[in-house]
Amino acid sequence: GENLYNEVKGVSDLLLLLDSAENSTAMKASDTQGFDNNGKQYKKGVLGELIVIQQQIQEHEEAARRVAEQLNSGSSQQKRKVSDKDKAEQLQEELLRTQLKYQRILERLEKENKELRKQALQKDDKGIHLRKMKKSLIDLYSEVLDILSDYDSNYNTQDHLPRVVVVGDQSAGKTSVLEMIAQARIFPRGSGEMMTRSPVKVTLSEGPHHMAMFKDSSREFDLTKDEDLAALRNEIEIRMRNSVKEGQTVSAETISLNVKGPGLQRMVLVDLPGVISTVTSGMASDTKDIIFSISRAYMQNPNAIILCIQDGSVDAERSIVTDLVSQMDPQGRRTIFVLTKVDLAEKNLASPSRIQQIVEGRLFPMKALGYFAVVTGRGNTNEGIDSIKDYEGDFFQNSKLLKTGMLKAHQVTTKNLSLAVSDCFWKMVRESVEQQADAFKATRFNLETEWKNNYPRLRELDRNELYEKAKNEILDEVISLSQVTPKHWEEILQRKLWERVSTHVIENIYLPAAQSVNSGTFNTTVDIKLKQWTDKQLPHKAVEVAWETLEDEFARFMSEHKGKDHDDIFDKLKHAVKDESIKRHRWNEQAEDSLRVIQHNALEDRSISDKQQWDAAIYFLEETLQTRLRDTESVIHDMVGPNWQERWFSWKSRSPDQHVRNETKSELERLLKINEEHTAYLANDEVTTVRKNLEAKSVDVDTILIKDTWHQVYRKHFLKKSLNHCNLCRRGFHYYQRHFVDSELECNNVILFWRIQRMLAITANTLRQQLINTEVRRLEKNVKEVLEDFAEDNAKKVQLLTGRRVQLAEDLKRVREIQEKLEVFIEALHQEK
């Protein structure tokens, strides 16, 4: 009798649920016009028939109650007991027949209603009613959640907006449940392996066509076509794998997907990676902990509805997720429990009553708002949604679990589950959304107050707006680079080029040639070495100098402070743009070849046309020699230590090595004083003489030290001698014009440096032309490309535009956007009420 009464009571609960479904359907229908009168009359006829059947079920329920009371009264009349038992069995059979008839009529009504809704939505889609389609409530709500998914605030404003969080053990069938609710096989699938590698937010809403779309893409996937379904599954799998960082197995990055279709229940669900008990090979060691962390992060939201999925085909004691859900929602006020694979459970379990214990909440300590049992197919990955629904319906119609009252009619099928979850979702939304809007309003006030106190005179610019401002400044600075005067370019290029090649000219060309015994040998040596230098090194060095000059000038413009208007928040970005632009810039490869010809011609010219050029060459030579002389004297000073003045007045002293060096230097200077025309190299007998003289003074030296000291001493002697010769050559232009005929004066070194000076000037002019005409423009193009690339790379902008000011502006923008969208959503929600 108790079993019979519970079965009838379950039917009554189903009626109440279906009544709410009818009201929900009526509310949906009121949103869209276009039903014809025939459709209305047909709907009224079917509903009338349902009402009659409902009255019959209520009569059966009343009769069952009376029979149950009679069976429990404990009457002593045996015949009456048998008669009442037969009557109860007959009543139960009649009740099941009525229930099946009721379910078939309801399914027919839903099918017809779905078709009518689709037709109405298609008419609206074609603009028949000439009105602008507004975003649906669920789309407005989903947009708020999308913004919140990226929101990160130092004010710890937590996101407590409702969504349905789908959690379960790995391979428990939670993704299949979600697909049944969405009425499409949209997720990647595998056999026993982890397929859900990151959270997937699915927004379900009504629409004329069954389609899906990612929030960051305009492509629509037609869910009625197999090729589009395959492409969607592949795209989800690619996005999941791309979201997983190297060395990880799962990711907390959310993938957002919108699914529309006729008859879909409006709600937002988040499918989470399946909870695992152990880490297997191929997984990162922290995979289990990360999955638990992600699951807790979503479930700790006090307004989140937890859809707890339990695999009915395995022992309930092996479940991990139920303990996790119990920790997050110990009172079960927002948890809906779903037992999957009930067909396998009924077949395999020795005691089917365990299923009844599970769905009545008596087997687990976990509590829930409601308990459901569903079947999501035969395990065939290619099975379609319609086939699964038919299989599920046939199973429950013939299941002993339902016939014997172990399961209630309102607790079975994914259709009933979908209705219950949607109803719970919207109830939670209506109860909590205004409170959340107030929380963000308070956060906005706090952020605005902080901005006014810390940055009262600055415009409130978020990261993208700051980037645009910096971009304009950088482009202005690149334009300024093209306005550098030719004279400035040539001066810098000539100076830098001489700094780069002066050592080679002095050490490898001038000094070796100066050891020649006559002018003919000097000029021959110079010509050979100049040609070798020009063929192998000079053009490349010149291009390097030009490239570095362009880089330095560009950096100077980029880092130049603009006075009080300078904003140092852009410095990091400008530096990165400069480095990346320089890195991408490639000098014209043909520049060296053309430059080599120009430099050859310049160095072959020995004709100094006027006295002014002659004096300029002497000045250039003197300046170079004086610079080298100062460098040489500095080296000698380091070798021999402080002189007598420094020792006397600064209390400095020489080291033993410096004392040896000083004695050696003095001995070598005496040798040069005896023979001022000495060659650059010491003879062996001269080295022996110097060493013996030093040994006589108790100074022990070796040959290498003597020769090393001689190199610097002779260099100083030669440079001083060359400077004296320059003074003599100041009056030598007259003799030069006569080719030094009948003159003992020779100024070949002046002619050499005039050739070098002229080559520097011509090279600088050539490089300047290439810079202005070609390279500056190419650099400007590179800068624009880098700025465009950085503009599309949000991670790069976050890395380069940092600081509390930037983050505060970002938070303000996001909080305002969230608050405004919440207010629009709340207004629409009130209108629907």
Side-chain angles (χ1 to χ4, degrees), residues 234-338:
N234 183 59
E235 178 67 18
I236 291 175
E237 185 172 4
I238 290 172
R239 286 175 179 249
M240 283 184 181
R241 294 190 181 277
N242 289 341
S243 69
V244 177
K245 296 179 180 178
E246 186 176 355
Q248 297 292 318
T249 306
V250 293
S251 167
E253 185 177 330
T254 304
I255 298 171
S256 293
L257 182 69
N258 294 330
V259 178
K260 296 180 181 291
L264 292 183
Q265 298 299 318
R266 304 175 302 166
M267 62 183 120
V268 176
L269 306 101
V270 182
D271 185 23
L272 299 181
V275 178
I276 59 175
S277 58
T278 185
V279 176
T280 60
S281 62
M283 291 185 180
S285 59
D286 59 351
T287 300
K288 178 181 175 181
D289 295 334
I290 292 177
I291 292 174
F292 269 81
S293 175
I294 294 171
S295 301
R296 286 194 183 98
Y298 276 91
M299 288 192 291
Q300 70 184 3
N301 175 0
N303 296 318
I305 300 161
I306 303 172
L307 200 61
C308 179
I309 310 297
Q310 168 69 45
D311 187 347
S313 66
V314 299
D315 293 336
E317 290 77 8
R318 292 167 57 186
S319 174
I320 309 169
V321 72
T322 50
D323 290 337
L324 180 61
V325 173
S326 295
Q327 295 171 14
M328 306 309 296
D329 183 26
Q331 301 302 320
R333 292 174 180 172
R334 51 191 180 88
T335 300
I336 295 176
F337 181 86
V338 182

Side-chain angles (χ1 to χ4, degrees), residues 119-265:
Q119 293 175 7
L121 289 169
Q122 285 175 336
K123 288 181 180 180
D124 262 352
D125 200 39
K126 294 175 182 177
I128 292 177
H129 298 287
L130 300 177
R131 65 180 177 86
K132 184 179 179 180
M133 290 290 288
K134 295 182 179 179
K135 288 185 178 179
S136 67
L137 265 180
I138 194 65
D139 287 336
L140 291 172
Y141 187 74
S142 180
E143 286 181 1
V144 176
L145 295 183
D146 284 338
I147 299 170
L148 283 169
S149 67
D150 301 325
Y151 176 64
D152 179 23
S153 173
N154 292 330
Y155 283 83
N156 296 320
T157 300
Q158 295 181 352
D159 167 21
H160 289 165
L161 289 172
R163 69 265 279 160
V164 180
V165 180
V166 186
V167 295
D169 299 317
Q170 183 177 334
S171 302
K174 58 185 180 54
T175 300
S176 298
V177 170
L178 190 53
E179 287 182 328
M180 290 295 290
I181 294 174
Q183 298 183 22
R185 306 299 297 271
I186 57 177
F187 290 105
R189 50 184 57 85
S191 179
E193 60 178 310
M194 179 180 291
M195 297 307 297
T196 306
R197 295 179 178 270
S198 66
V200 182
K201 180 176 77 69
V202 182
T203 302
L204 300 179
S205 60
E206 276 202 305
H209 307 288
H210 204 187
M211 49 77 65
M213 179 189 296
F214 292 100
K215 79 164 186 175
D216 57 355
S217 172
S218 59
R219 178 181 178 184
E220 293 184 353
F221 296 88
D222 188 344
L223 302 184
T224 62
K225 296 180 179 178
D226 291 339
E227 57 269 23
D228 275 26
L229 277 169
L232 176 62
R233 289 193 291 266
N234 183 59
E235 178 67 18
I236 291 175
E237 185 172 4
I238 290 172
R239 286 175 179 249
M240 283 184 181
R241 294 190 181 277
N242 289 341
S243 69
V244 177
K245 296 179 180 178
E246 186 176 355
Q248 297 292 318
T249 306
V250 293
S251 167
E253 185 177 330
T254 304
I255 298 171
S256 293
L257 182 69
N258 294 330
V259 178
K260 296 180 181 291
L264 292 183
Q265 298 299 318

Side-chain angles (χ1 to χ4, degrees), residues 683-695:
N684 290 333
D685 58 342
E686 291 176 319
V687 173
T688 302
T689 302
V690 170
R691 187 172 66 250
K692 288 182 177 181
N693 290 340
L694 290 171
E695 288 176 353

Side-chain angles (χ1 to χ4, degrees), residues 46 101 236 261 292 297 319 348 386 389 430 448 477 491 609 620 624 626 642 656 661 706 792 823:
V46 175
K101 183 178 180 183
I236 291 175
F292 269 81
S319 174
N348 298 334
D386 290 337
K389 288 168 68 177
R430 289 185 172 90
E448 288 175 343
E477 287 155 2
E491 287 176 354
S609 59
F620 180 44
T624 302
Q626 286 171 354
R661 290 274 189 179
I706 294 173
E792 296 174 3
E823 289 174 353

Side-chain angles (χ1 to χ4, degrees), residues 394-436:
D394 292 342
F395 168 77
F396 281 118
Q397 285 181 8
N398 300 311
S399 172
K400 294 179 181 179
L401 296 171
L402 199 63
K403 288 182 179 180
T404 58
M406 291 185 183
L407 293 179
K408 312 295 189 296
H410 69 284
Q411 290 182 304
V412 300
T413 74
T414 50
K415 179 63 179 178
N416 288 339
L417 170 65
S418 178
L419 289 167
V421 173
S422 178
D423 182 61
C424 187
F425 170 77
W426 283 105
K427 181 181 178 183
M428 191 73 81
V429 167
R430 289 185 172 90
E431 289 175 354
S432 63
V433 69
E434 292 190 7
Q435 180 183 356
Q436 289 298 296

